Amino acid sequence: MKQQKSYLGLLFLILCLICVSNDAFAQAKNTISGKVLDEEGHTIPGANVSLQVSDKNVITDENGVFIFSDVPAGSYSVVASNVGYKTYSKEVTVKEGESVEVSLLLESESQNLKEVVVTGSSAPRSKLESSVAITTMGAKAIEDRAPSSTAALLQTIPGFVVEASAGEIGNNLFARGIPSAGAYEYVQIQEDGLPVFEDGALQFANADTFYRLDETVSKMEAVRGGSASIFANNAPGGIINFISKTGQNEFKGKAKLSTSDYGLFRTDLNLSGALIQDKLFFNIGGFYRADNGVRNTGFTANKGGQIKGNVTYKFDNDDYFRVNFKHLNDRNTFYLPIPLKSNNGKIEGISGFNPNYGTLTSVNFSRLNVPQYGGGTFSTDLEDGSHPVINSIGTEFKKKISEKVTFKNAFKKTAIDLNYNAIFPNGGPWTQDAYATDIQNTTAGNLAYSYVDNGAALDPNTLIMRADLWHIQKKMDNFANNFSFSFDLDPVQLTAGYYYSNWKSNQYWNWNSYLVGVSDNPRLLNVKDNTSGVDHTWNGIERITWLERDAQTKGLLNDIYADAEIKATENLTFNAGVRYNKDKYSGYRDNARFGAENLGLLNNNTADDAVTTVKGNPYTYWRYDVSEWSYTAAGNYKFNDKMASYARYSHGFRSPIEESFYDNAADLSKLENTQVNQIELGYKYANSFFSVNANVFHMNLKNVAFTDILSDGTSENKFADVNNIGLEVETNAKYERVKLNFTFTVQKPEYDNFTGSNADGSTFNFNGNTARRIPKFFANLRPEVEIVKDLTAYVQFSYYDKKFVNQDNKQVLPAYKEVGAGLNYTYNNLRFAVDASNLFNEIGLTEGDPRQTTAAQSDVFMARPILGRAFRFSVAINF
């Protein structure tokens, strides 16, 4: 009900904005304003705009907007220019008391190097002049890609291995071969230059859980390595910055309706315009979506939406004050590994379980109610899925203090209530005989299996397994503030800033094991020992609250940074940056009695014999201080307006993650920050037909933490060094009606200093092994053809080389390919599209079961495949 009220509120606000007459707010004054756009309609920040027959000259702001005030009545030529574009001139006439708005469309002289980027730098600059590896994508390109999730969009970036098999949220990104427990451990996802949440790798709170793509997005900029450690915390692998649309004088809007073959209903809306002409602007939008999910759970898998917007007040000289806000209330099913088998190296589904559309998550056990130690009942709802409720508000302020000095400040306050419920495989699949002998330590014939819902006996050939319902409740908040001074000390552009952030994550876990028959939409099983009369399940629950956790992690960041851009000659530019982190992390963890309590409530039943509880035990409080320098230096040489090359060295770090603090709270002395050193050589070339961005990199990482949660509730808690050398290439070609995008990455990530002892006393030596879950080669090829005017078709081909499940390199995930395709047609202001993913139902494995540290002992194993074939249809209108 609250969610419905939120979206009714959005509709009411939109109606109010539409009904407010812009003319009522307009101020009669002589102005010429507008935006500078490229051929695809993307705004161009940092473009030069001059008013001929006058001495007026301005630079477009980060939204491509310019304004000339107090222009005497008369006729003028408005001239726009920018690196990589042909100069454009437009004649305008201003009458006394009139405001004129124009759009200036620049035609590119070369591809791909034309864009001005703001991420990972102290001032807007073109790709040609940037000494970083960066991939950008505007609103139109994002729409053409038709990504089903944030992670699906990020798969287009070379150097980033992105696993998008979890569904819309909870996916993983590995930057430049850095192995991790998953999530977004070495990169930072940002909205308008500030983090979505300060740490993107909290347990069960991956950064993409808190971000949704919709029509409010203007552009995505992704920096790999390079200067990322100077401009973001714990992000030596890169920064992914989503830049929001803002308003302009002209009222504009876009509405979109989407559906699919998996029950999708989605509406998107974005509106922008002026509340006061030339001064006060707004942009507001959002979406509502419900669908059944590509994998069949038997219930509505994804349901919810978002409201997001900003209001901007423009001062003179491109100064502005902006208020940003967002409300997200969305729930999503999180997909995990499923049972598969290998048939002479070919991956197949097992009998009764569809590998493309099946999932262990089932409506047949969506409700959980279990008794608790000390009394009471724990309840949760699987259909709530991963359900974040997010409220954030922030501001941006830019003021030019003098001709040489500019001040900027931005802050954001974010509150998150995350209710997380998902089904994790945790043991098996077993034959019924193996379960009896290996798990219950009894003779196979002693156990009887029956379905909970109707009491019918289980077929003797049906496999059984544990399907755990893991419940995690997180209360999170974050306040982040970034202010800086920029100094124009020609030929040096210097920026000095201070970044402050405090964040907190309180979490409670309660994990329970179901016993199920292995099939699509699995059902709960009861197990009884006919000889002893002992039950091993209670309403299908084999282990009640086998894990309970209560913990807190807090971060307090006080960081200073400086970045200098030195234009040594017309063609040679140097960059140097430094950041000093003075950070404090603290918190507490429970001292749970792990599997030590017998509830004593269930007679002749083992389901409540080994309960874990935090009640009655003290907490361990911990504190960890970080004092670290990050630094970088680079040089960029522009051979001409079409070609440049750069070299960069950077040193950054990553603080220990949440799970490391929990595991080592009693003795933090064994924890160290992960040190990341990178050398990059880049080459950029573009003409009107072809462009290429190539980067050779070498990464040396010290003390990489491996902290996956294992099936027994413990953590790997291992540390190693990693070396990686690689090549990233991004190319674009355009000839008449044909476009081609091709990206690929070749790399060799290997472990070093990775020896030690396992919990059982055995030893291991993984030196020289390939880093887990990282392919040595992956590529994306996308040809696009305009069949006739306004009718475009594309094919998306992706290839991922084989990779290894674990550090021992014994279990291989085979190489796979995925093919998608689409067709879109534009008629006036309408756009119709159909997009298909995984057309040939490839069973491509992105991970094994990271909760198991040993290779599978039979032909049936657990792994997480990409989603099955799906079709999406959409119609959008611009107005």
Side-chain angles (χ1 to χ4, degrees):
M1 189 64 181
K2 290 182 178 179
Q3 191 179 54
Q4 292 176 346
K5 290 181 179 178
S6 296
Y7 298 111
L8 288 174
L10 170 61
L11 292 174
F12 178 74
L13 178 58
I14 290 170
L15 288 173
C16 289
L17 291 172
I18 293 174
C19 293
V20 172
S21 171
N22 287 341
D23 294 338
F25 292 102
Q27 294 182 344
K29 54 190 294 188
N30 294 25
T31 65
I32 299 176
S33 63
K35 283 189 175 183
V36 178
L37 308 168
D38 64 17
E39 302 104 315
E40 295 184 337
H42 305 151
T43 58
I44 304 176
N48 295 295
V49 184
S50 60
L51 200 60
Q52 300 297 313
V53 201
S54 78
D55 58 355
K56 294 180 180 291
N57 186 78
V58 296
I59 304 295
T60 57
D61 66 14
E62 73 276 12
N63 300 302
V65 174
F66 69 90
I67 184 170
F68 295 104
S69 302
D70 302 321
V71 179
S75 296
Y76 300 90
S77 293
V78 183
V79 179
S81 62
N82 197 40
V83 174
Y85 295 87
K86 298 177 182 178
T87 299
Y88 178 83
S89 177
K90 188 169 187 176
E91 301 298 318
V92 298
T93 298
V94 181
K95 297 179 181 179
E96 192 63 40
E98 182 182 50
S99 293
V100 177
E101 184 171 355
V102 295
S103 293
L104 307 178
L105 304 177
L106 297 189
E107 180 183 352
S108 62
E109 291 183 321
S110 60
Q111 294 189 62
N112 204 43
L113 301 184
K114 61 191 179 180
E115 294 174 89
V116 172
V117 294
V118 297
T119 304
S121 64
S122 55
R125 59 176 60 94
S126 70
K127 281 188 177 180
L128 190 70
E129 296 175 321
S130 297
S131 51
V132 293
I134 188 166
T135 296
T136 61
M137 198 171 296
K140 184 179 183 301
I142 293 173
E143 182 176 53
D144 289 343
R145 292 275 179 177
S148 58
S149 65
T150 302
L153 177 68
L154 301 181
Q155 287 180 315
T156 62
I157 303 171
F160 285 174
V161 176
V162 182
E163 298 175 348
S165 54
E168 284 199 35
I169 52 88
N171 292 290
N172 304 312
L173 185 152
F174 304 99
R176 287 187 164 175
I178 308 177
S180 69
Y184 295 77
E185 194 168 325
Y186 290 88
V187 301
Q188 186 176 91
I189 292 186
Q190 297 181 345
E191 284 181 287
D192 301 311
L194 288 175
V196 172
F197 194 84
E198 188 64 54
D199 194 321
L202 299 180
Q203 284 289 352
F204 307 101
N206 300 14
D208 67 341
T209 301
F210 311 129
Y211 188 81
R212 302 290 186 278
L213 289 169
D214 62 14
E215 294 300 327
T216 64
V217 177
S218 171
K219 188 180 184 183
M220 181 272 290
E221 297 182 348
V223 171
R224 305 184 297 280
S227 59
S229 288
I230 308 304
F231 293 96
N233 191 56
N234 287 328
I239 301 172
I240 302 163
N241 186 21
F242 291 94
I243 300 170
S244 301
K245 295 176 181 176
T246 57
Q248 65 289 310
N249 276 333
E250 182 184 359
F251 177 78
K252 293 182 179 180
K254 182 173 185 176
K256 186 175 182 179
L257 178 64
S258 305
T259 186
S260 73
D261 62 343
Y262 52 90
L264 171 67
F265 172 83
R266 173 164 173 151
T267 58
D268 286 80
L269 182 65
N270 190 73
L271 300 172
S272 64
L275 297 172
I276 301 176
Q277 288 284 315
D278 304 323
K279 284 296 182 183
L280 187 61
F281 307 92
F282 73 90
N283 190 90
I284 185 170
F287 74 91
Y288 175 80
R289 179 263 294 104
D291 67 68
N292 298 324
V294 176
R295 296 191 177 276
N296 180 24
T297 64
F299 55 81
T300 302
N302 306 296
K303 185 177 182 181
Q306 175 173 268
I307 303 168
K308 180 183 173 186
N310 55 67
V311 178
T312 305
Y313 184 83
K314 293 289 183 67
F315 303 98
D316 294 333
N317 300 319
D318 299 324
D319 299 335
Y320 66 90
F321 176 77
R322 178 173 299 134
V323 176
N324 302 289
F325 59 90
K326 181 175 81 171
H327 172 70
L328 172 68
N329 188 343
D330 193 27
R331 63 174 181 81
N332 305 94
T333 292
F334 181 63
Y335 301 121
L336 284 135
I338 61 174
L340 301 159
K341 68 178 181 180
S342 177
N343 184 2
N344 294 322
K346 181 181 178 181
I347 306 301
E348 298 177 349
I350 67 172
S351 177
F353 202 108
N354 191 309
N356 297 112
Y357 302 104
T359 173
L360 291 172
T361 302
S362 172
V363 69
N364 294 321
F365 40 81
S366 60
R367 294 291 301 176
L368 176 70
N369 295 282
V370 291
Q372 294 292 278
Y373 178 81
T377 301
F378 171 74
S379 301
T380 194
D381 186 355
L382 179 60
E383 294 189 32
D384 206 32
S386 177
H387 184 180
V389 178
I390 304 173
N391 291 289
S392 69
I393 187 167
T395 67
E396 300 174 47
F397 176 65
K398 176 188 174 185
K399 177 66 176 176
K400 192 170 185 179
I401 299 174
S402 69
E403 288 299 315
K404 299 290 185 181
V405 182
T406 300
F407 170 74
K408 289 187 70 174
N409 189 81
F411 85 82
K412 182 165 68 171
K413 171 68 174 171
T414 302
I416 300 174
D417 186 350
L418 175 62
N419 183 52
Y420 180 98
N421 301 278
I423 293 296
F424 283 73
N426 190 0
W430 298 289
T431 63
Q432 294 169 37
D433 287 353
Y435 176 79
T437 57
D438 297 345
I439 305 304
Q440 298 300 342
N441 298 314
T442 188
T443 303
N446 289 346
L447 298 187
Y449 304 87
S450 60
Y451 287 109
V452 171
D453 52 9
N454 62 7
L458 182 68
D459 185 301
N461 296 316
T462 300
L463 296 175
I464 61 177
M465 66 179 298
R466 288 177 179 148
D468 282 16
L469 201 169
W470 290 10
H471 167 84
I472 297 96
Q473 185 72 45
K474 281 182 177 277
K475 300 283 188 179
M476 306 163 61
D477 62 71
N478 185 194
F479 175 86
N481 190 92
N482 185 34
F483 85 77
S484 63
F485 287 95
S486 296
F487 304 89
D488 185 0
L489 308 174
D490 191 31
V492 178
Q493 297 287 330
L494 176 65
T495 296
Y498 167 62
Y499 181 78
Y500 170 87
S501 177
N502 68 67
W503 61 271
K504 179 173 66 175
S505 172
N506 286 1
Q507 60 176 345
Y508 171 77
W509 300 6
N510 196 311
W511 297 2
N512 295 261
S513 284
Y514 290 124
L515 194 69
V516 303
V518 179
S519 67
D520 285 340
N521 292 123
R523 297 155 61 192
L524 294 175
L525 299 177
N526 275 330
V527 181
K528 187 179 185 69
D529 190 317
N530 290 326
T531 301
S532 65
V534 172
D535 289 308
H536 293 298
T537 55
W538 179 70
N539 297 326
I541 301 166
E542 188 202 45
R543 298 185 296 173
I544 292 175
T545 310
W546 69 268
L547 181 64
E548 187 176 37
R549 179 180 288 192
D550 185 18
Q552 179 192 78
T553 306
K554 294 190 294 185
L556 177 62
L557 283 58
N558 285 277
D559 308 337
I560 57 174
Y561 62 92
D563 183 77
E565 194 83 9
I566 307 164
K567 198 169 184 63
T569 69
E570 184 63 28
N571 294 331
L572 180 61
T573 303
F574 293 103
N575 172 253
V578 63
R579 183 185 185 101
Y580 179 66
N581 284 64
K582 188 69 174 177
D583 307 334
K584 299 180 185 298
Y585 297 94
S586 61
Y588 60 77
R589 63 152 290 174
D590 59 75
N591 284 285
R593 299 189 294 280
F594 189 81
E597 299 296 336
N598 187 335
L599 288 181
L601 298 178
L602 307 178
N603 294 326
N604 295 321
N605 196 308
T606 61
D608 68 342
D609 285 358
V611 173
T612 298
T613 181
V614 301
K615 288 185 178 180
N617 274 21
Y619 288 83
T620 296
Y621 293 84
W622 56 268
R623 176 171 174 155
Y624 185 86
D625 293 343
V626 172
S627 297
E628 286 277 4
W629 289 93
S630 300
Y631 44 86
T632 187
N636 186 85
Y637 187 78
K638 184 174 68 173
F639 297 97
N640 50 50
D641 288 343
K642 297 181 179 181
M643 183 169 61
S645 185
Y646 75 87
R648 180 179 288 275
Y649 173 81
S650 60
H651 168 82
F653 74 98
R654 161 78 219 197
S655 300
I657 65 173
E658 188 177 42
E659 187 62 26
S660 293
F661 289 135
Y662 183 91
D663 290 329
N664 300 284
D667 180 15
L668 296 182
S669 63
K670 64 180 68 175
L671 294 184
E672 297 180 25
N673 301 322
T674 302
Q675 305 293 324
V676 183
N677 298 292
Q678 299 182 67
I679 298 174
E680 302 176 55
L681 298 174
Y683 174 78
K684 295 165 282 188
Y685 173 79
N687 59 33
S688 57
F689 303 105
F690 174 77
S691 71
V692 60
N693 284 267
N695 306 279
V696 176
F697 65 89
H698 179 268
M699 297 187 71
N700 174 260
L701 298 99
K702 300 292 185 183
N703 201 55
V704 177
F706 297 89
T707 56
D708 271 329
I709 301 292
L710 304 180
S711 293
D712 61 2
T714 63
S715 169
E716 286 179 283
N717 203 26
K718 290 184 171 69
F719 304 90
D721 298 341
V722 177
N723 293 298
N724 189 20
I725 186 169
L727 169 66
E728 306 161 341
V729 177
E730 179 177 6
T731 63
N732 290 278
K734 181 179 179 180
Y735 180 73
E736 294 184 349
R737 294 184 176 183
V738 179
K739 293 181 181 179
L740 183 69
N741 171 258
F742 178 50
T743 67
F744 70 87
T745 303
V746 181
Q747 57 188 348
K748 191 179 180 182
E750 295 182 342
Y751 295 123
D752 191 16
N753 294 325
F754 204 179
T755 62
S757 300
N758 297 308
D760 60 5
S762 62
T763 61
F764 64 86
N765 184 345
F766 298 145
N767 288 342
N769 284 8
T770 299
R772 68 182 187 187
R773 294 167 66 173
I774 309 293
K776 292 184 177 180
F777 176 77
F778 58 99
N780 287 279
L781 176 66
R782 180 188 171 93
E784 186 176 313
V785 180
E786 187 178 23
I787 302 171
V788 295
K789 182 175 173 55
D790 297 325
L791 178 63
T792 302
Y794 73 86
V795 175
Q796 176 73 39
F797 177 84
S798 301
Y799 175 83
Y800 292 88
D801 200 2
K802 71 175 184 180
K803 53 186 178 180
F804 298 101
V805 174
N806 293 313
Q807 291 92 321
D808 59 15
N809 284 187
K810 292 181 179 179
Q811 187 172 348
V812 177
L813 299 177
Y816 72 90
K817 59 187 178 299
E818 181 182 2
V819 178
L823 192 69
N824 62 76
Y825 176 68
T826 302
Y827 177 75
N828 292 332
N829 59 343
L830 286 170
R831 181 184 185 273
F832 303 89
V834 56
D835 300 279
S837 55
N838 197 7
L839 269 174
F840 301 107
N841 261 336
E842 180 83 6
I843 307 175
L845 305 184
T846 63
E847 66 172 46
D849 186 352
R851 283 148 293 282
Q852 299 287 347
T853 57
T854 57
Q857 299 301 310
S858 69
D859 63 340
V860 177
F861 62 95
M862 302 299 297
R864 181 161 65 180
I866 58 177
L867 303 180
R869 178 173 53 237
F871 292 91
R872 296 185 303 280
F873 312 88
S874 65
V875 57
I877 181 170
N878 291 284
F879 52 90

